[in-house]
Amino acid sequence: MNNKQQNDEIQQNQHQSSDGTAIEPRDNPDRPGRQFYIPSQIVSEFAHKGRDHLKKPFPGQLVLALTAGAFMTFGAAFSILLAIGIEAKGLYYLLSGFGFAAGYAMVFISGSVLFTEVNVLLPTYLFHSTGFMQRNILKFWGSAYIGNILGALFVAIIIKLSGSLSTSFYTELSTYIDHKMKFLDNGFTGWIQIVLSGILANWLIGMAAFLTTAARDITGKILGTLLPVVLFVAGNFQHSAANMGYFSMGILSNSEYHWYEFLFLNLLPASIGNIIGGGILVSLLFSYAYKDDIQSAVDNN
């Protein structure tokens, strides 16, 4: 058999993934083609998403940040609704995490701009690009954060004015908020604990983004979102975007805490931890590990 015939046979027995990579032969039932992106492709997608977010006009960035914050409040509300009256702790955490995963799924699939996801996407893009100190980066980061807060508060106001939720919902909400604000009893040590808890939280949410990006269908994306979210909810790890959803409803429900306590004694240290968890432990570590595979793809686009 000559070289041309061999090449023709190889092409007949192989098919390509959506990115043009040859994968397993069609006629081998024991080795089907993979239905997910490999890690280097996932990190490359992060870099492209980070670049694309930066290129969006500011009004578009802000609108997507508002929608992401809105989805956080929807997720927070759903997590409480599913867990009301559940006594078994394992089932309670499972249902609560399942409820909040709905908010994250809406964010990831819609392309909305969530501050904690930005902590993964932007460092990945910056790691593989020149001109690290671009002028619009801080503006984008700030707009994502402020937009998330405003979006979360907007939905909380509508929920409150609608009168849709029962008294038992707000009782359960108070329990959730007390659980998140328990660190205040430890003074400065508690502030540091929130930073560390925030690292864990966005390490997990960064991996949720990782798994979601790996999946090629909606079912896979939802499952990829679900598993890390259930874990961070069960662990009470402090995720600033998630807490925005809970706190926005807490401010409007006669909570014992003031807005500045939510902002400076929880969201601020949680956000610092989230930047470290997402930016370093997910984005930069994987970017460094796969930098040789990614660099050419980023440069050519």
Side-chain angles (χ1 to χ4, degrees):
M1 183 183 294
N2 59 38
N3 290 337
K4 183 178 185 305
Q5 289 174 320
Q6 289 179 332
N7 290 335
D8 290 342
E9 183 175 337
I10 291 173
Q11 291 174 359
Q12 289 172 359
N13 290 331
Q14 287 186 333
H15 64 294
Q16 292 184 326
S17 63
S18 59
D19 62 353
T21 303
I23 54 181
E24 305 297 341
R26 283 196 182 107
D27 58 355
N28 187 345
D30 296 326
R31 302 187 65 185
R34 57 183 171 82
Q35 296 299 311
F36 56 90
Y37 287 114
I38 60 175
S40 61
Q41 293 171 320
I42 296 168
V43 179
S44 180
E45 282 293 308
F46 282 172
H48 292 316
K49 288 180 181 177
R51 178 204 60 197
D52 292 343
H53 278 318
L54 283 176
K55 287 185 176 181
K56 282 187 178 70
F58 179 76
Q61 294 175 348
L62 185 60
V63 167
L64 290 175
L66 289 168
T67 59
F71 295 151
M72 289 296 95
T73 300
F74 282 129
F78 195 24
S79 72
I80 294 172
L81 289 169
L82 288 182
I84 291 176
I86 303 297
E87 297 295 334
K89 283 297 183 182
L91 182 58
Y92 179 90
Y93 292 137
L94 178 63
L95 292 176
S96 182
F98 184 88
F100 216 112
Y104 283 102
M106 288 189 283
V107 169
F108 292 149
I109 295 173
S110 69
S112 297
V113 177
L114 192 66
F115 167 74
T116 47
E117 187 189 12
V118 168
N119 295 337
V120 176
L121 302 183
L122 277 188
T124 306
Y125 171 63
L126 295 175
F127 188 86
H128 298 285
S129 66
T130 57
F132 181 84
M133 296 302 293
Q134 298 185 35
R135 293 181 59 185
N136 60 341
I137 289 175
L138 292 180
K139 182 176 73 172
F140 174 56
W141 227 309
S143 69
Y145 198 83
I146 294 172
N148 288 171
I149 292 178
L150 293 178
L153 189 59
F154 176 71
V155 172
I157 291 172
I158 295 177
I159 289 175
K160 185 67 175 179
L161 293 177
S162 73
S164 301
L165 302 179
S166 64
T167 302
S168 61
F169 172 87
Y170 291 102
T171 301
E172 189 68 25
L173 172 63
S174 296
T175 302
Y176 270 71
I177 292 177
D178 288 340
H179 198 41
K180 291 183 175 298
M181 299 296 286
K182 69 173 186 176
F183 300 94
L184 269 63
D185 297 335
N186 300 330
F188 180 72
T189 299
W191 203 89
I192 298 300
Q193 288 175 327
I194 295 176
V195 173
L196 297 175
S197 185
I199 292 173
L200 296 172
N202 215 38
W203 194 352
L204 289 170
I205 294 304
M207 290 311 301
F210 200 93
L211 297 178
T212 301
T213 303
R216 297 189 185 184
D217 56 31
I218 294 297
T219 301
K221 290 182 180 296
I222 292 173
L223 288 176
T225 302
L226 177 63
L227 300 176
V229 171
V230 170
L231 179 51
F232 104 76
V233 170
N236 192 35
F237 302 136
Q238 301 301 294
H239 190 259
S240 59
N243 289 359
M244 290 174 191
Y246 291 111
F247 295 162
S248 62
M249 293 186 289
I251 290 174
L252 303 175
S253 62
N254 298 319
S255 171
E256 63 178 287
Y257 303 100
H258 301 287
W259 68 267
Y260 57 84
E261 292 177 305
F262 289 140
L263 181 60
F264 296 111
L265 301 182
N266 186 283
L267 290 183
L268 178 58
S271 299
I272 293 172
N274 292 163
I275 291 172
I276 296 171
I280 296 178
L281 297 180
V282 177
S283 174
L284 295 185
L285 288 186
F286 283 115
S287 293
Y288 179 78
Y290 297 108
K291 67 180 188 303
D292 293 337
D293 297 326
I294 298 165
Q295 190 62 59
S296 59
V298 176
D299 290 341
N300 292 332
N301 287 276

